[in-house]
Amino acid sequence: RSRVGSEMCIRDSVGLGATAATSAVLTHIAKMGGEESIAVFINSSFMNYTFLGLAVVAVVNVSWLGAASAYAVTMGVIHLTVGVVLASGGSGKRMGPREAALSILTFPAAFALIAAMLFVGFDVSFPIVAQEWVDKLADPEVILMLLTAGYQMPLVDPRKYLSQISMVGAIRF
């Protein structure tokens, strides 16, 4: 199983490289600036697909879930690292390895991932009472999170970004 997981990580990394090269070539041909090129690369390369397969793996063969989770986490860390470095470079800031690591480790999703890995690694379980409260609050919290994120997004006319959106769609296809 570990060999399969390694092969998947290598295959995904090659796919990420191919997507990077494709987006670099297409944005150069389209004469897009640095910020636009980075935006096209990030949006075409970092799709939310790594965790979608976990449900399928759980249905097909639950014994593969550990390897599939390790794969999803590995790809998530790679994508987060590359994304943070590119986004900081696109904004004009130069980020060294220390700043990148601190930025990634303090990212809420990465922090939650580290905490979850510690819980699993040390076989710690929630008390039943705490788990019941978490279960009761989960659905309303998701709704509040989505509303909060939505309120923070500025309204824009999508036609303003039609060329970038079209290019991302073409690269993803």
Side-chain angles (χ1 to χ4, degrees), residues 52-141:
L52 296 177
L54 292 178
V56 174
V57 168
V59 169
V60 172
N61 188 342
V62 76
S63 68
W64 297 346
L65 199 52
S69 298
Y71 165 76
V73 169
T74 302
M75 289 301 104
V77 168
I78 290 171
H79 290 177
L80 182 61
T81 305
V82 172
V84 164
V85 171
L86 283 175
S88 68
S91 66
K93 297 180 199 171
R94 289 289 166 217
M95 184 178 278
R98 184 174 190 273
E99 291 86 10
L102 284 174
S103 176
I104 291 163
L105 291 175
T106 57
F107 187 69
F111 186 76
L113 175 67
I114 292 167
M117 289 172 66
L118 289 172
F119 270 84
V120 171
F122 290 111
D123 198 24
V124 176
S125 60
F126 268 171
I128 297 297
V129 174
Q131 186 63 47
E132 288 174 0
W133 276 99
V134 169
D135 290 342
K136 287 178 185 177
L137 293 174
D139 290 338
E141 289 299 320

Side-chain angles (χ1 to χ4, degrees), residues 153-164:
M153 297 174 112
L155 293 175
V156 296
D157 183 5
R159 291 176 290 189
K160 180 179 177 184
Y161 301 103
L162 187 59
S163 65
Q164 293 91 342

